[in-house]
Amino acid sequence: MTTNALSFPMPNALGSIDQYISAANRFPMLTEEQELSLARRLKQNNDLEAARALVLSHLRLVVSIARNYLGYGLPHADLIQEGNVGLMKAVKRFDPDRGVRLVSFAMHWIKAEIHEYILRNWRLVKIATTKAQRKLFFNLRSMRSQNGEAPHNLTQDEASDIAQKLGVKTEEVFEMESRFAGGDVSLEGSGDDEDEHRIAPLAWLADSAPEPSEELATAQHERLQDEGLRNALASLDERSRAIVQRRWLIEDGELAATLHELAAEYGVSAERIRQIEVKAMQKMRGLLSAN
């Protein structure tokens, strides 16, 4: 069988996850010799066609691993996609001279990417942030799923038994179990119920009044802006200053002067007024940015 990746069919525009899985399972599996040859081509020559062949021949592995994580309620296609990212990372880091098949090496990378995706998306707020918490998260769900237990509060004996098997403290098992049980709460409420929005967390958590530090910072910023603007205007010649003021610093309710109106007043062309305005604005920007 040829190892030319160009002979591998691509599952483009398949339209459904079932069609994708079917196509992935049709990709030829590589013999050990073919795998080593492709891996060496990739490592020694950065041969992207070899990398493509290695990835495509292991898509079925990603599909198989992703199927084990369907219990988290996340889209199967997304789990497969994240697993494919892990597979590509594994192919990039695979060393053909270590005496290990790619399938064994890639499993770790595939699972790692799927785990990271689940932890990012299973809850709006992360429930496992440390390495130990992540391990407990997946092992605890796996153990309870394998035991066929309906959702219920763990007893002291159950938690102690799980803690002993996983090598963690009983308190840590209870804490993770409470995180499982806790659902997400919308800050803004949901639906069109006005009462629900009134009692939503966003209605009573936020304080609309600015903090004193924010008020001081705002006042200081405005003072510096006004002072800087006055200094920048003072640096212009009289004509340039008048043009900028009548074009940009008008009072509320007034209309800005047009280029043609100013041109008629100063006896020059509208283009000349535009050039004066551009030059003056550039000078002012330089002075303001330096402050």
Side-chain angles (χ1 to χ4, degrees), residues 4-68:
N4 184 354
L6 291 173
S7 64
F8 281 37
M10 284 295 293
N12 292 330
L14 293 176
S16 75
I17 186 64
D18 291 335
Q19 288 175 309
Y20 173 83
I21 293 174
S22 176
N25 288 331
R26 289 198 301 269
F27 291 144
M29 297 181 65
L30 301 174
T31 65
E32 184 174 1
E33 292 75 15
Q34 291 170 334
E35 181 180 295
L36 289 175
S37 174
L38 289 167
R40 290 191 176 111
R41 281 168 48 190
L42 173 60
K43 183 179 180 181
Q44 296 169 5
N45 305 316
N46 194 30
D47 188 333
L48 297 184
E49 286 300 319
R52 179 170 174 266
L54 290 169
V55 168
L56 293 177
S57 64
H58 287 79
L59 290 181
R60 66 182 68 208
L61 174 65
V62 176
V63 170
S64 176
I65 293 175
R67 189 177 294 116
N68 296 325

Side-chain angles (χ1 to χ4, degrees), residues 239-240 243-244 247 259 268-283:
R239 182 173 63 172
S240 298
I243 290 173
V244 169
R247 291 277 291 162
L259 294 176
V268 295
S269 66
E271 174 60 21
R272 179 56 182 157
I273 295 295
R274 188 192 67 79
Q275 292 172 356
I276 294 172
E277 177 186 1
V278 170
K279 186 176 180 180
M281 296 294 283
Q282 288 175 342
K283 183 176 182 179

Side-chain angles (χ1 to χ4, degrees), residues 26-254:
R26 289 198 301 269
F27 291 144
M29 297 181 65
L30 301 174
T31 65
E32 184 174 1
E33 292 75 15
Q34 291 170 334
E35 181 180 295
L36 289 175
S37 174
L38 289 167
R40 290 191 176 111
R41 281 168 48 190
L42 173 60
K43 183 179 180 181
Q44 296 169 5
N45 305 316
N46 194 30
D47 188 333
L48 297 184
E49 286 300 319
R52 179 170 174 266
L54 290 169
V55 168
L56 293 177
S57 64
H58 287 79
L59 290 181
R60 66 182 68 208
L61 174 65
V62 176
V63 170
S64 176
I65 293 175
R67 189 177 294 116
N68 296 325
Y69 294 93
L70 291 176
Y72 293 93
L74 296 171
H76 193 187
D78 290 349
L79 293 170
I80 291 176
Q81 178 173 311
E82 295 299 319
N84 285 342
V85 172
L87 172 60
M88 288 185 284
K89 289 182 177 180
V91 167
K92 182 178 180 180
R93 293 167 173 81
F94 181 60
D95 186 349
D97 298 319
R98 288 290 183 90
V100 178
R101 291 297 299 270
L102 177 57
V103 63
S104 301
F105 180 75
M107 288 180 67
H108 163 78
W109 291 94
I110 296 169
K111 290 181 179 179
E113 289 296 323
I114 293 177
H115 286 183
E116 184 66 27
Y117 168 73
I118 291 173
L119 292 173
R120 286 197 315 266
N121 295 276
W122 194 64
R123 285 283 190 268
L124 292 177
V125 178
K126 287 187 176 181
I127 67 170
T129 56
T130 67
K131 184 177 180 180
Q133 287 175 339
R134 295 183 181 197
K135 182 177 180 181
L136 178 58
F137 172 86
F138 287 103
N139 286 335
L140 181 58
R141 278 188 61 91
S142 177
M143 290 178 65
R144 298 200 69 178
S145 176
Q146 291 173 1
N147 293 338
E149 299 174 355
H152 68 282
N153 294 330
L154 288 174
T155 65
Q156 182 67 39
D157 291 340
E158 289 173 334
S160 299
D161 182 56
I162 292 174
Q164 184 177 6
K165 291 179 179 178
L166 298 181
V168 298
K169 297 178 180 178
T170 303
E171 294 79 10
E172 293 175 328
V173 175
F174 277 123
E175 180 183 358
M176 184 58 69
E177 183 68 14
S178 68
R179 296 187 184 189
F180 281 138
D184 297 326
V185 177
S186 172
L187 285 174
E188 299 179 346
S190 58
D192 299 324
D193 191 332
E194 184 176 343
D195 292 333
E196 183 177 346
H197 284 278
R198 189 179 299 114
I199 63 174
L202 193 62
W204 45 267
L205 283 177
D207 184 359
S208 58
E211 296 182 358
S213 60
E214 293 177 347
E215 291 183 333
L216 289 173
T218 300
Q220 175 73 355
H221 180 68
E222 291 176 351
R223 184 185 68 79
L224 291 175
Q225 277 193 323
D226 290 341
E227 183 179 342
L229 182 58
R230 285 197 299 271
N231 292 336
L233 281 171
S235 70
L236 302 176
D237 62 80
E238 184 178 350
R239 182 173 63 172
S240 298
R241 182 166 58 251
I243 290 173
V244 169
Q245 288 177 323
R246 293 178 63 184
R247 291 277 291 162
W248 298 98
L249 301 177
I250 57 175
E251 299 291 337
D252 292 339
E254 295 183 359

